[in-house]
Each structure stands twice: as structure tokens, then as C-alpha cells.
Amino acid sequence: MMQLFRQRPKRAVLGFTLLELLVVMVIIGLLAAYVGPKYFSQVGRSEIRMAQAQIDALEKALHQYRLDVGSYPTTEQGLAALVASPNNEPRWHGPYLSKTAPADPWRNPYVYKYPGDRSEFDLLSLGKDGQPGGEGEAADITNW
């Protein structure tokens, strides 16, 4: 006689158990806890290097300005004098920067002072905290 109902072979249940998923999540958490701090310390160091490179580029533009005009821009004129002629200066042959002076990596403006307290002119970033002084990532980055 013909079988009306065939028995299907039992299939293995596919998927992961809750325990296996928890173990994988713990392993991922441990890896993130190990790698995360190393990654973020690299970000802090790269911001400091970026600020140093920007100060160096601004310093070169200021030297070029002085060669053309005969003196550095005043504190009041600031770094804007590198982009637009201050008071229609006849010896100004800029712009000395392709666009306005950038903010530091922490989005604060660079501090420019002429005449400077520590060199011909002072050019600095106040660091991550935006306050004078500090240590580590919060330390000032200067041209002297």
C-alpha cells in the first residue's frame, strides 16, 4: 500500500545559542576595550601635529608678508592681513594664504600678537582646553 504521509528526515536546527552569542559579544567588548584607548591617543597626537604644521605654515606666510610690507601685521590687523590688504597697504602683494586663517584642530582661533613677548611675533594655539598653559593635549602649541 502506498504511504500517504512520508516521513521527512529531521533537519539540524541552524543558528546560534544564546550562550554562543554572549561569548562572542564579550570577546568583541574586550577587543574594543583594548584597542579604543590606543586609537583615541593617536587622535590626540595627530591633532597636536596638525596644529604644529598649521603654525609653521602661518609663520611662513607672516615672514613673506614682512618681506613685502616691511613689518609684520599688527595685533589688531591679525592674521586677516594675510588674506586681505590692511588699510590699502601699497606694498602688500598677497594674498599670502589661499583662504582665511584656519582655526586650530579644536576649532579655536590661533592667537597672534605683534610684537611678541617671546619672539618677534607670538603665534599659538591654546590646545584642547582653549586655556593658557596646560599639559599633554591641553598644552599650548607655540612658534617659539
Side-chain angles (χ1 to χ4, degrees):
M1 186 172 230
M2 188 185 237
Q3 283 186 340
L4 293 175
F5 299 102
R6 288 187 184 174
Q7 285 187 343
R8 294 184 184 176
K10 291 186 178 182
R11 291 186 185 180
V13 176
L14 299 176
F16 299 103
T17 66
L18 181 60
L19 182 60
E20 290 169 330
L21 290 173
L22 289 174
V23 168
V24 169
M25 289 177 67
V26 167
I27 291 171
I28 291 172
L30 289 172
L31 287 172
Y34 178 73
V35 173
K38 292 184 183 289
Y39 170 76
F40 288 114
S41 70
Q42 291 295 329
V43 170
R45 278 188 250 150
S46 68
E47 288 173 330
I48 292 169
R49 283 192 297 265
M50 183 178 184
Q52 290 168 336
Q54 287 177 334
I55 286 175
D56 185 50
L58 291 170
E59 200 172 18
K60 288 176 182 172
L62 285 163
H63 291 313
Q64 185 63 45
Y65 179 96
R66 185 190 58 128
L67 287 173
D68 288 348
V69 175
S71 67
Y72 292 107
T74 64
T75 302
E76 293 76 29
Q77 293 169 333
L79 298 175
L82 299 173
V83 180
S85 176
N87 302 326
N88 297 320
E89 172 65 50
R91 295 184 295 177
W92 189 85
H93 296 292
Y96 302 95
L97 295 174
S98 59
K99 52 187 173 183
T100 60
D104 70 11
W106 302 279
R107 298 188 184 106
N108 298 315
Y110 284 98
V111 177
Y112 171 74
K113 183 178 177 187
Y114 176 76
D117 295 329
R118 305 227 178 167
S119 63
E120 278 187 282
F121 60 87
D122 292 345
L123 182 61
L124 63 134
S125 165
L126 297 175
K128 187 174 185 174
D129 64 353
Q131 302 295 321
E135 295 180 9
E137 291 180 26
D140 297 346
I141 302 156
T142 65
N143 68 323
W144 61 83

